[in-house]
Amino acid sequence: GSATKLRLVRLPLSRESLAGACADTRTSILIPDAYEDPRFNRSVDKKTGWKTHAVLCAPVVARDGRLLGVVQCVNRRNEEEPLDS
């Protein structure tokens, strides 16, 4: 199969963004259609030429409750399947 290149993108946390909302509430967020959610930041798609469809954000929390970061996964390899399957 073909290898997928992973990219690291860093954005400032803001409560108005998906990652920021995830960090603020310490809960996972599943968005099946990114462009329908006002918290989605389209600037990365514009810079990279990528088309984000679905987004899954999850907080990374230390055992003592400190927020270490947020991981964000975008799109599925098979766009035909829903993200929740």
Side-chain angles (χ1 to χ4, degrees), residues 40-61:
F40 175 65
N41 184 338
R42 294 171 166 89
S43 68
V44 175
D45 278 8
K46 289 178 184 174
K47 288 179 187 175
T48 63
W50 183 259
K51 172 67 173 163
T52 301
H53 298 282
V55 180
L56 173 64
C57 292
V60 180
V61 181

Side-chain angles (χ1 to χ4, degrees), residues 10-76:
R10 292 181 190 262
L11 298 170
L13 285 182
S14 161
R15 289 184 179 159
E16 290 79 37
S17 71
L18 287 170
C22 176
D24 189 46
T25 62
R26 305 286 202 279
T27 58
S28 299
I29 298 173
L30 173 62
I31 306 296
D33 186 349
Y35 281 83
E36 292 295 318
D37 193 300
R39 299 170 295 182
F40 175 65
N41 184 338
R42 294 171 166 89
S43 68
V44 175
D45 278 8
K46 289 178 184 174
K47 288 179 187 175
T48 63
W50 183 259
K51 172 67 173 163
T52 301
H53 298 282
V55 180
L56 173 64
C57 292
V60 180
V61 181
R63 289 183 186 181
D64 64 5
R66 287 178 301 121
L67 179 70
L68 301 177
V70 173
V71 292
Q72 192 170 12
C73 302
V74 297
N75 300 350
R76 291 180 61 97

